[in-house]
Amino acid sequence: MSMFDLSERAEEYRTRLLEFMDSHVYPAEAVYDEQMRAAGDPHYQPPILEQLKEQARERGLWNLFHPYPEWGPGLTNLEYAPLAEIMGRSHIAPEVFNCNAPDTGNMEVFTLFGTDEHKQKYLKPLLEGTIRSAFAMTEPAVASSDATNIELSMVRDGDDYVLNGRKWFASNALHPHCAVLIVMGKTDPEAAPHRQQSMMVVPIDAPGVTVLRGLPVFGYQDREGHAEIDFDNVRVPAKDVLAGEGEGFAISQARLGPGRIHHCMRAIGMAERALELMCRRANARTTFGKPVSANANIQDWIAEARIDIEMIRLLTLKTAYLMDTVGNKHARTEIAAIKVAAPQIALQIVDRAIQVYGGAGVTDDFPLAMAWAHLRTLRLADGPDEVHKRTIARQELRKYRDDATAKKP
């Protein structure tokens, strides 16, 4: 038995999830698309999603990500990994099972750092799937890959803080059920660089909060939206500061570790579906008197895709195992590594599948074009590739720093 063998309960959830995907989710994708087209609103909540959510919850396929047994099945990262991969195969699946970003990360933040009031007002309905949330960290005016650059001001005024600034790429903020924002800003510009930031809980309808627009991503207006939001003298009670002033950077690190591995797990599922579509198309189409699949370059792409998927899956499982056994801090190299590798590899596989599909591959008749846009964006979300490579390189260099010092004349 290897360390990556599925536990009995994880295998049971996997079997049930696969059955639900086959019988309910995949058939619903066309219904979802039709309802979205008929609505004419890119941020519409189609009825099919609510129906699927109700059915998933009735079957206990709900909050599968949540590590705390009182809120979900209490699966480990290693147990959840194959389930997230399955959900990653469909763009509608994560919300169906209440396992969609950024709500998963926000639910963990409320669980770990929220007050009893936050848990009752926001965490409980998030866990029930009746509201949605957004995470407002990235800003248009600064390089937000370095969180110490964050400029939105949070100035103490009596029992409140007054927020002023601009955020963007606040995913989920245009979801019609979005009720709350977790906002990161600067409370003390004079403090140490990693103690200047705080996080606050802000209702999306608070006076002074204005959702300016949804940002298109490669021409797509994602249903949940990537919002640009203006904060103009927004008053936030001091009781809505999460974990206390100056804890914003620490909270962001606690939040982003699990979020990054969830993204990678789903990316593997997306890569698997793209490989499946590529193989089916290559077998079904004939050019110059032979199936497309008979061409050596197509066979190379298929073989390389299988090899690459197995490699990133193993690295992701190792990362999940380390997060479970030694903690996120000690798994930071592996977390950074999969955040670079999984989206890059999945993106290449999707790109090659598009090539096999020809002109059809760039249309919305198939899920490949949207998958490409999502994966290319994922190379920037939760930190660009370059920041994660920097983390890995610094960890590697640290191993040999003493050697270099010792060899100095």
Side-chain angles (χ1 to χ4, degrees), residues 100-401:
N100 53 298
D103 289 320
T104 52
N106 291 344
M107 284 187 255
E108 292 200 42
V109 168
F110 280 127
T111 300
L112 294 171
F113 307 107
T115 63
D116 288 343
E117 182 183 349
H118 294 146
K119 291 175 182 176
Q120 186 65 30
K121 190 173 181 180
Y122 298 119
L123 177 60
K124 186 178 177 183
L126 279 169
L127 289 161
E128 292 170 347
T130 56
I131 69 167
R132 304 263 63 101
S133 63
F135 185 62
M137 180 175 174
T138 306
E139 297 181 4
V142 298
S144 304
S145 56
D146 177 0
T148 62
N149 284 335
I150 297 302
E151 289 183 341
L152 182 137
S153 65
M154 297 173 156
V155 178
R156 186 70 186 248
D157 182 29
D159 292 333
D160 298 336
Y161 286 84
V162 180
L163 277 54
N164 283 285
R166 183 72 59 91
K167 295 288 183 181
W168 72 347
F169 285 101
S171 299
N172 235 23
L174 285 155
H175 194 296
H177 298 169
C178 186
V180 64
L181 310 171
I182 295 179
V183 183
M184 184 165 174
K186 191 163 286 189
T187 43
D188 185 359
E190 305 304 316
H194 295 93
R195 295 287 303 170
Q196 296 178 4
Q197 304 82 19
S198 299
M199 282 195 192
M200 300 185 186
V201 179
V202 183
I204 198 167
D205 59 357
V209 175
T210 305
V211 177
L212 299 173
R213 60 172 175 152
L215 293 155
V217 177
F218 291 104
Y220 286 100
Q221 279 283 357
D222 288 341
R223 183 175 51 83
E224 72 277 8
H226 305 289
E228 183 171 4
I229 305 176
D230 187 61
F231 295 79
D232 182 15
N233 290 319
V234 178
R235 300 193 76 86
V236 178
K239 64 182 177 62
D240 288 330
V241 179
L242 289 167
E245 190 174 302
E247 296 295 330
F249 189 86
I251 295 172
S252 72
Q253 296 309 298
R255 181 192 185 282
L256 292 172
R260 286 169 181 150
I261 194 170
H262 293 173
H263 277 312
C264 295
M265 294 166 181
R266 288 190 292 265
I268 295 167
M270 204 176 292
E272 281 283 12
R273 191 168 187 190
L275 175 56
E276 177 185 319
L277 289 168
M278 177 164 42
C279 290
R280 292 184 184 279
R281 185 77 168 190
N283 279 331
R285 290 290 165 126
T286 300
T287 58
F288 308 106
K290 62 181 180 180
V292 171
S293 59
N295 291 290
N297 67 315
I298 303 301
Q299 293 186 8
D300 279 351
W301 289 355
I302 291 167
E304 288 166 8
R306 172 51 58 209
I307 293 165
D308 288 342
I309 287 172
E310 297 303 326
M311 288 195 297
I312 57 173
R313 180 182 288 120
L314 280 171
L315 181 55
T316 302
L317 290 173
K318 178 194 175 186
T319 305
Y321 171 78
L322 290 174
M323 290 169 71
D324 291 336
T325 54
V326 296
N328 298 359
K329 182 177 180 181
H330 294 289
R332 59 185 177 274
T333 296
E334 287 78 10
I335 292 171
I338 59 168
K339 182 55 178 65
V340 174
Q344 281 190 4
I345 287 170
L347 184 67
Q348 182 184 62
I349 294 169
V350 169
D351 189 78
R352 287 175 168 177
I354 289 171
Q355 198 71 12
V356 171
Y357 268 74
V362 300
T363 72
D364 285 344
D365 286 4
F366 301 94
L368 295 168
M370 183 183 292
W372 191 96
H374 173 79
L375 287 164
R376 184 60 187 85
T377 306
L378 189 54
R379 291 186 57 199
L380 294 164
D382 284 358
D385 292 354
E386 291 72 20
V387 169
H388 298 300
K389 288 179 182 177
R390 178 176 179 264
T391 297
I392 297 165
R394 291 173 74 178
Q395 287 293 110
E396 291 299 310
L397 288 166
R398 187 173 288 122
K399 299 175 186 176
Y400 306 102
R401 191 171 295 152

